[in-house]
Amino acid sequence: MTFDTLGLRPESLRAIADQGYTQPTPIQTQAIPAVLTGQDLLAAAQTGTGKTAAFVLPILQTLHATRAKGPVRVRALVVVPTRELALQVEASLRTSGAHRPVRSAAVFGGMRLDRQVRALRKGDEVVVATPGRLLDHVRQRTIDLSHVEILVLDEADRMLDMGFIHDIKRILQLLPAERQSLLFSATFEPRIRRLAEDLLREPVSIDVAPRNATAAPIRQIVHPVDRHQKRHLLAHMLRRDAGQTLVFTRTKRGANRLAEQLGKAGISAAASHGNKSQSQRVRAGDAFLGGH
């Protein structure tokens, strides 16, 4: 199977080739043709499976095929759980649309609202947003969702874990009833199926995320170690491999303590959790993405 068998136009195929991709992943193989036909979609796919391109590529093509003269309006809305994912999806829109671009914007918390307002006023066909910040713009009347033709809920299971269900329901009430809706989740757990029943109409169902499976690029290694030696082993491993590393702790207090201990050991580290302010989490995320 190759990308040119999925119904994509030459400009999309050129953008794919520019990025060095030659063969579609399973989620792309199944999702792209379905989205191009205008069907609703319920897809189970883990991070690292190529799911972002699975909806970005057909959305770009659909928007170009149905573009009408007149003012630029928000025609596609992608709702995501985090700032980092919003930036990732918006970057994918730009790279995948390199040879036939659409105007897009990412809106999320931790960034000044007025700066985002100025960006939105320029006119965007695609908006990628976190739920809370999107509703902030709705309340400020700085975004109009009445012309949305395509809705994507990406990593819907994470949004439910983070308590966004009520925000999602409010967003759905603001959208036209006649639209194409795509829901992506790591699993088809019962609460996702309940959300899908309210959101989707006769969806195509795709499951490329076997339960408890690890995404293909990830290798898992277990190091049995005494509890009191964990920090020393971690410091040793970080010194040996100076790459970017995410470390998960059981408690917020434990994250603060570990970051402090690693700092004293000469290893740059920052804690990020729910007790930190949004600006603190943004700084920690920026430092991590920048390799600092």
Side-chain angles (χ1 to χ4, degrees), residues 220-224:
Q220 297 190 59
I221 302 173
V222 177
H223 294 282

Side-chain angles (χ1 to χ4, degrees), residues 260-287:
E260 182 180 351
Q261 291 168 338
L262 290 174
K264 290 180 179 178
I267 299 169
S268 177
S272 182
H273 50 69
N275 284 358
K276 298 283 187 178
S277 69
Q278 178 70 23
S279 61
Q280 288 175 316
R281 295 199 300 272
V282 168
R283 285 197 298 272
D286 286 345

